Amino acid sequence: MIKQVGQIMLYVNDQDEAVRFWTENMGFEVVSEESNGEMRWIEIAPERGAETTIVLHNKEIIAQMSPELNLGTPSLMFFTENLDQLYSKLTAQNITIGEIVEMPSGRVFNFADREENYFAVMEKSK
């Protein structure tokens, strides 16, 4: 039986640029990097030992290998304990971000990477 999400595969046009965005702007770490011929995958996480990681794949290569796959961006929701601090940090870095919205389950805003993939961050209500 499935008990947790282990990895999320994110298909990007430029893996190196995606790594720079996630490490420099979002504070993620590269956990591993592997390749098998022209296929290369880079595993990143918000911190070492995180239960769920993101694997960055080259969208063009995956499309050639598996044309039946939907390579659209998954809708990811990240959690934070200090939404205001993260919002200020991303604003200062000129990251595309949306307004903070109050939801029944907490406060949330969205942000975009350099390929205009959108993600959300939530600070859960206590």
Side-chain angles (χ1 to χ4, degrees), residues 3-16:
K3 67 176 194 172
Q4 81 178 66
V5 175
Q7 294 180 329
I8 297 164
M9 293 182 284
L10 181 59
Y11 305 104
V12 298
N13 296 313
D14 185 333
Q15 287 173 293
D16 295 321

Side-chain angles (χ1 to χ4, degrees), residues 1 17 19-21 30 38 49 55 61 66 86-87 92 94 97-99 104 106 116 118 124-125:
M1 301 297 278
E17 183 63 30
V19 167
R20 278 192 294 280
F21 173 81
V30 174
E38 68 177 30
V55 179
I61 292 172
S66 301
L86 180 58
Y87 191 87
N94 293 319
I97 56 175
E99 296 295 320
E116 296 186 10
Y118 278 81
K124 288 186 171 185
S125 298

